[in-house]
Amino acid sequence: MIEIKENFSLKKYNTFSFDVKCSYFSTFSKVDELKELIIIHINNKYPLMVLGGGSNILFTTDFEGLIIQSIIKGVEIISETNEYVDVRVGSGENWDEFVGYCVQHDWSGIENLSLIPGFVGTCPIQNIGAYGVEVKDTITKVETIEIDSLNDFVFSNAECNFGYRDSIFKKELKGKHVITYVYFRLKKKSEFVLNYGNLNEELQKYNLINLKNIRQAVIDIRNSKLPKPEDFGNAGSFFKNPEVKAVKFDELKRNYPTIPSYPQGNSRVKVPAGWLIEQAGWKGKNIGNAGVHSKQALVLINLGNATGNEVLNLAKEIQNSVNQKFGIQLEMEVNVV
Ligand code: EPU
């Protein structure tokens, strides 16, 4: 049964810990409850927002409307062969608990995505990625409800239009569908992806390379670089890593020979935003209560009682100085409300 709470504090519902409120808030544990909430939104003309784990959102103000959050649970095996298993997972499952569950069952594919905050239902929206793996490579289908029509939809992997931290749910269909279930195909024969950054190095500590140890290594690397939201509110990477044309990159390389890069093919090169921000002098700096994490400059943090606007202001200052120094416009990864 749904329960709508009024004048609801979102402080515990966004990992920046901004002290904002919404007029109405409700969770839904099944598709029928979601439909009931959508009808309430339509009948009362309340603006509607779907919140996941609140780990990729920056609230600058209270939300005058209805916020809904999936608590649809369950990991159901749909089919299984000797090679793989297909599972259908409720959008309200905690992402990292699902990763842990797969590792426990010896299903591979998402172990490099350990400890990413958020829900299963939001992982396709921005195609979460880390340590050389993107979730798009394991997602087979996404089930949704279209808000305007209340119709059920199933998007194939191709129809999701996945890109780097991107999908159709962030673009053309932004705010139009609510994700209810995500389908994954996980491999029974482990194929490890270990070529990213210091993952391999971290694994030297173990005498065996298996899913459990990879998960632990990823957790240890993340814990050493990324702040825990309990210590400092944050939303992971604040900006995307920008892609520049090869000619532009060659020019940068002449001026900054140590610049790291990831060639993307089609004469484009991705450059780590964290490096650009550090070079622009921002690492460990703050403006008021909004700061740049001292161990990973791509992460902006709430040092205490920061407001969303303070963090947004810091983000804009960083964008300006990176643009001035390198001629590159950083694009925000978090959703600003
Ligand atoms: N770097 C710096 N200074 C910094 C941070 C990074 O010089 O302050 C340099 C590093 O030395 C390295 C390069 O930048 O050469 C890349 O750094 P890192 O491996 O930490 O990864 P990233 O590109 O900064 C991306 C993702 C992270 C993900 C890591 C690991 C984006 C926007 N971010 O960060 O994702 O965990 O790779 O795969 O693509 C997230 O999206 O919230 C997130 C944390």
Side-chain angles (χ1 to χ4, degrees):
M1 221 180 57
I2 56 168
E3 184 197 352
I4 298 186
K5 295 179 178 142
E6 284 185 43
N7 203 21
F8 187 79
S9 168
L10 297 167
K11 195 168 162 59
K12 293 198 180 115
Y13 288 75
N14 73 102
T15 55
F16 264 120
S17 278
F18 294 137
D19 200 1
V20 287
K21 291 196 170 92
C22 62
S23 326
Y24 305 99
F25 179 89
S26 180
T27 55
F28 55 92
S29 62
K30 41 187 185 237
V31 172
D32 284 348
E33 291 182 357
L34 166 62
K35 289 186 176 171
E36 234 182 288
L37 287 167
I38 294 176
I39 291 167
I40 291 172
H41 143 73
I42 293 170
N43 288 348
N44 295 282
K45 301 193 170 61
Y46 298 145
L48 181 74
M49 188 199 294
V50 188
L51 189 67
S55 56
N56 203 42
I57 195 159
L58 183 146
F59 285 101
T60 56
T61 169
D62 289 345
F63 184 74
E64 310 288 342
L66 170 64
I67 291 189
I68 60 174
Q69 186 186 48
S70 172
I71 50 166
I72 299 178
K73 301 285 184 194
V75 181
E76 187 191 345
I77 296 182
I78 299 296
S79 62
E80 202 170 355
T81 69
N82 289 335
E83 312 244 302
Y84 60 79
V85 54
D86 284 331
V87 290
R88 177 182 186 246
V89 188
S91 56
E93 286 285 352
N94 173 281
W95 171 258
D96 188 55
E97 282 173 22
F98 172 57
V99 176
Y101 182 91
C102 293
V103 167
Q104 242 173 36
H105 285 77
D106 250 330
W107 300 337
S108 78
I110 54 174
E111 57 284 352
N112 291 31
L113 306 180
S114 290
L115 210 65
I116 296 184
F119 285 12
V120 165
T122 40
C123 78
I125 300 178
Q126 59 148 346
N127 178 23
I128 57 172
Y131 307 102
V133 171
E134 286 183 317
V135 77
K136 72 171 172 56
D137 298 327
T138 49
I139 290 178
T140 51
K141 287 188 285 189
V142 175
E143 270 182 47
T144 72
I145 299 295
E146 188 183 38
I147 295 173
D148 281 352
S149 67
L150 289 178
N151 286 336
D152 301 68
F153 276 73
V154 181
F155 290 85
S156 68
N157 177 294
E159 286 167 338
C160 292
N161 273 349
F162 288 121
Y164 167 58
R165 293 296 191 281
D166 206 11
S167 76
I168 195 163
F169 306 110
K170 235 178 133 172
K171 291 247 167 78
E172 297 92 310
L173 297 185
K174 189 171 179 182
K176 300 210 180 306
H177 286 250
V178 184
I179 295 173
T180 49
Y181 290 92
V182 184
Y183 291 70
F184 300 86
R185 175 165 291 185
L186 301 152
K187 296 204 172 90
K188 289 191 175 170
K189 293 195 180 121
S190 299
E191 282 173 22
F192 308 133
V193 180
L194 306 175
N195 49 4
Y196 184 94
N198 54 345
L199 182 54
N200 225 333
E201 195 184 306
E202 185 70 29
L203 276 161
Q204 301 305 314
K205 287 186 194 159
Y206 300 88
N207 45 23
L208 183 68
I209 294 187
N210 59 16
L211 294 180
K212 194 169 146 273
N213 291 343
I214 295 171
R215 171 164 165 78
Q216 194 54 50
V218 168
I219 289 174
D220 291 344
I221 299 174
R222 289 187 72 97
N223 279 337
S224 71
K225 281 195 183 178
L226 302 169
K228 289 202 181 78
E230 303 89 86
D231 299 335
F232 293 109
N234 74 87
S237 301
F238 197 91
F239 300 99
K240 287 186 179 185
N241 285 333
E243 234 180 71
V244 297
K245 290 195 179 132
V247 274
K248 167 76 183 172
F249 181 74
D250 293 343
E251 177 200 316
L252 287 167
K253 183 91 183 163
R254 275 196 297 281
N255 294 328
Y256 307 95
T258 60
I259 185 168
S261 61
Y262 311 102
Q264 301 294 299
N266 7 327
S267 309
R268 295 185 77 80
V269 179
K270 205 182 268 176
V271 180
W275 186 89
L276 299 169
I277 297 167
E278 179 171 351
Q279 296 300 310
W282 283 102
K283 198 169 185 170
K285 296 280 164 58
N286 66 298
I287 303 184
N289 281 315
V292 180
H293 189 49
S294 58
K295 294 182 189 151
Q296 167 47 295
L298 193 48
V299 180
L300 303 192
I301 55 180
N302 176 355
L303 291 166
N305 295 314
T307 62
N309 281 314
E310 270 181 285
V311 174
L312 194 58
N313 175 47
L314 172 65
K316 287 181 179 157
E317 294 289 333
I318 291 171
Q319 280 176 321
N320 286 341
S321 60
V322 166
N323 203 345
Q324 262 171 28
K325 191 171 166 77
F326 299 103
I328 294 177
Q329 181 63 33
L330 293 180
E331 190 190 330
M332 291 185 200
E333 201 214 273
V334 299
N335 290 310
V336 177
V337 177

